[in-house]
Amino acid sequence: MKHISPSRPLRFGRRCAAVLAVALLAATPVAGAHAAPEAGTGAPSRAEIYQELGLDQEPADYVILVDTSGSMAQGGRYSTVRSTLRPFLDGLTSRDHVALFTFDSRPEARYIGAAGDTRKIVSALPSKPNASGETDIGAALNAALNELGRDDASSVASIVLLTDGRHHPPRGSRYPTAGGAPWDALRKRAEGIAQRTDLAGYALPLGSGATGAQLLGDVVQNTSVLQPRGIQGLGSYLARAGDGARARKAGLLLAQDAGKGVSATWQGGGAADVTDGRATARLTLRSTTRHLPLTVDGLRASLVDPSLDVLGLPGEVTLQPGASRTFEVGLRGRLTAGGLPYRRTEHREATLHLAGRVGSSWERPLAGDVKLDIPRAIRVGQQAVPLRATLGSVVLLPALVTTLVLLGLGAWLWWRRINRPPLHGELLLAPAIGEHDPVRVRLDGRRMALQPSPPVSGRGRVQGRLRSTGRGPQTDLRIRYTPDGSAGESRATCRPGGRVVVGGVSFTYVAEPAPAPADGLPR
């Protein structure tokens, strides 16, 4: 229970009117009481925020309890109440619900229905207090809780209690004292209502001995009690309390956005091609709130592993509730070729990092009355960003293939020179037994087939093999021969001027000098 006590004493009539105005302003959304925008901050005023939220379309319940006991006739108190109720009721909308009760020895409902017709509501009040009436505050609070316990009660409710005395019930009242089991029951009922309704109380003692006003705080936990001794100290309270009902409405609406913030989605349209060290993509920021506008300050993005710079994002972004904004960004950087410098297309995935602080321009204007639960970091829905690039040298692979071909060709030529040298001279073939004229075969080319004429039969092949000697390279003959033409060939090597017998046939190699080898070839 909150107590607010201005300090400077004034005459009671003036004090009563001022204090009553303060209490009513605390319970109703009066436009003039809204905080003005802070100079230079660019933040909206509370009035602008409430208009944006459409709070006039959000209903609220107001139960007004007016003391009509005999003492209210003193000092013009009752007439002050009647006159001050008019601007209070004018500040309500037709969607608000008003229950106006008077109470003395018992409570009486004077008006229950929609707000909007101030004259009709005020005219329901009696013209003067009940001169013989007692002050049963317990019964009045019981009537208020009955009204707020109905099934169609609004989500925001206020009880305004205006009394100039203490609890002094008539004989037979259910609340004979200011405490005990009946008051405990009232408190439990109020707690039950507060679980489904944002319930607040505003108690206004209209006299120095009006201790009964504080009983509202014993029943409704969230109660502000004014204990004025003057009007001068009420300025700061008026600025704050006049916004009470609307702030509570705004708090209920904005509670739907608790934990909701900004999400980011990378929209590259497939893998971004960074072959030239630059590419373009799109980054979308979306607000997930329903009512609260959001801002992102210090927005920065980067790609890591591999590392690329992301350019083109503004430093500050404003997002309306549920809205999204898409930015075209530039990528700067290259993929490394690694240990394989040949020409190829490489596909990789980088990780998107986003920095920036999420907030709202509504935070400062609503501070102290409405708590906003805003996740400060941006949620990244897709952290993996696909990239591709053509890497390596365009001439490396053809050059490598050409080199391998040339090396293979050189190796083959080397092998061919050693194992298939040109043949020169003659090869004499004759039966190994007996005296026969030899069959002369002129050696030519690098490999020859042997099909001699009689008296030599059979067939075979002959090829050379280069051999180094002290007198230079010489060509030996490798002979394969079968006397009957079968597959089983006999083999022998015949040096220049030499003679070998293969398969019963004598082979004599009459060599001729071979041409000198070219420079650089093995000897």
Side-chain angles (χ1 to χ4, degrees):
M1 182 170 63
K2 296 172 283 188
H3 300 264
I4 301 176
S5 303
S7 58
R8 189 175 175 180
L10 294 174
R11 288 169 34 185
F12 180 76
R14 180 181 176 189
R15 180 178 68 221
C16 177
V19 171
L20 177 58
V22 169
L24 295 177
L25 284 169
T28 184
V30 180
H34 300 153
E38 299 181 26
T41 65
S45 66
R46 283 201 175 188
E48 292 170 331
I49 293 174
Y50 296 158
Q51 183 178 5
E52 187 71 22
L53 287 172
L55 292 191
D56 288 344
Q57 302 302 313
E58 297 295 324
D61 270 299
Y62 298 90
V63 179
I64 306 170
L65 305 176
V66 178
D67 187 349
T68 52
S69 62
S71 60
M72 285 290 290
Q74 301 176 10
R77 296 173 187 170
Y78 185 68
S79 60
T80 299
V81 169
R82 288 176 59 94
S83 62
T84 310
L85 275 177
R86 293 183 180 277
F88 164 72
L89 295 171
D90 286 341
L92 305 184
T93 72
S94 59
R95 296 182 63 86
D96 293 325
H97 182 87
V98 174
L100 176 62
F101 289 85
T102 58
F103 69 94
D104 38 63
S105 297
R106 60 183 179 84
E108 183 174 347
R110 299 294 181 172
Y111 176 87
I112 296 179
D117 190 342
T118 299
R119 177 176 296 182
K120 179 179 179 181
I121 298 174
V122 173
S123 64
L125 287 171
S127 59
K128 59 183 180 180
N130 181 2
S132 61
E134 304 286 353
T135 308
D136 194 342
I137 297 177
L141 294 179
N142 177 66
L145 295 179
N146 286 340
E147 175 62 23
L148 296 180
R150 69 186 194 280
D151 293 337
D152 61 344
S154 302
S155 56
V156 174
S158 300
I159 299 177
V160 180
L161 173 63
L162 303 103
T163 182
D164 71 337
R166 58 187 178 85
H167 178 59
H168 191 273
R171 188 184 299 254
S173 170
R174 294 174 57 189
Y175 307 93
T177 64
W183 291 89
D184 292 339
L186 288 176
R187 187 180 304 109
K188 289 182 179 180
R189 288 173 58 197
E191 290 173 352
I193 292 173
Q195 289 180 357
R196 62 180 185 274
T197 301
D198 187 352
L199 177 62
Y202 301 92
L204 194 65
L206 302 180
S208 58
T211 58
Q214 299 186 12
L215 292 176
L216 176 58
D218 294 339
V219 175
V220 177
Q221 183 178 4
N222 183 22
T223 293
S224 298
V225 177
L226 292 176
Q227 294 179 327
R229 287 189 294 272
I231 195 64
Q232 300 251 335
L234 294 177
S236 60
Y237 177 82
L238 183 61
R240 177 178 61 85
D243 201 31
R246 282 200 167 194
R248 287 157 49 217
K249 283 185 181 182
L252 288 179
L253 284 176
L254 294 175
Q256 301 174 22
D257 289 336
K260 298 179 181 179
V262 176
S263 64
T265 305
W266 186 267
Q267 296 178 328
D273 189 351
V274 292
T275 300
D276 297 331
R278 59 181 60 217
T280 59
R282 292 184 299 167
L283 181 68
T284 297
L285 299 181
R286 186 176 69 87
S287 167
T288 60
T289 62
R290 182 177 178 185
H291 303 287
L292 184 66
L294 298 175
T295 60
V296 182
D297 295 320
L299 179 62
R300 300 186 307 279
S302 62
L303 298 180
V304 297
D305 194 24
S307 296
L308 281 85
D309 295 328
V310 180
L311 309 178
L313 287 175
E316 180 177 341
V317 176
T318 299
L319 295 171
Q320 295 303 316
S324 63
R325 293 184 63 183
T326 299
F327 303 94
E328 185 169 296
V329 297
L331 304 182
R332 298 293 183 269
R334 296 180 182 271
L335 303 185
T336 57
L340 302 174
Y342 62 88
R343 196 70 167 177
R344 69 198 186 279
T345 298
E346 188 89 4
H347 290 267
R348 298 183 190 173
E349 284 190 344
T351 301
L352 175 63
H353 282 189
L354 279 179
R357 183 182 185 276
V358 181
S360 176
S361 60
W362 290 9
E363 288 184 87
R364 292 190 66 181
L366 296 178
D369 293 312
V370 180
K371 182 179 179 181
L372 303 178
D373 180 11
I374 305 174
R376 299 302 179 183
I378 303 172
R379 289 192 290 265
V380 181
Q382 176 189 348
Q383 289 188 321
V385 176
L387 304 172
R388 65 182 175 90
T390 302
L391 305 176
S393 172
V394 69
V395 300
L396 178 64
L397 190 57
L400 181 61
V401 171
T402 301
T403 300
L404 293 176
V405 170
L406 292 176
L407 289 175
L409 179 59
W412 179 79
L413 291 174
W414 182 274
W415 179 88
R416 182 171 176 266
R417 182 180 183 277
I418 299 299
N419 295 281
R420 296 290 188 273
L423 300 177
H424 303 280
E426 289 184 326
L427 187 61
L428 307 181
L429 287 72
I433 300 174
E435 295 290 335
H436 301 278
D437 291 332
V439 176
R440 292 178 176 272
V441 177
R442 187 69 182 175
L443 297 176
D444 190 22
R446 297 178 181 273
R447 188 175 184 181
M448 292 184 62
L450 297 176
Q451 291 181 341
S453 59
V456 179
S457 61
R459 60 185 178 84
R461 291 174 296 165
V462 62
Q463 63 190 42
R465 166 76 179 179
L466 198 64
R467 176 171 57 86
S468 297
T469 68
R471 293 175 296 177
Q474 291 186 353
T475 299
D476 297 339
L477 294 182
R478 291 184 173 182
I479 302 170
R480 297 182 179 183
Y481 194 78
T482 174
D484 55 3
S486 64
E489 296 178 335
S490 300
R491 302 182 182 187
T493 300
C494 185
R495 294 186 176 185
R499 176 178 177 273
V500 295
V501 176
V502 181
V505 177
S506 170
F507 293 85
T508 302
Y509 177 20
V510 180
E512 293 179 358
D519 293 340
L521 295 177
R523 301 181 65 84

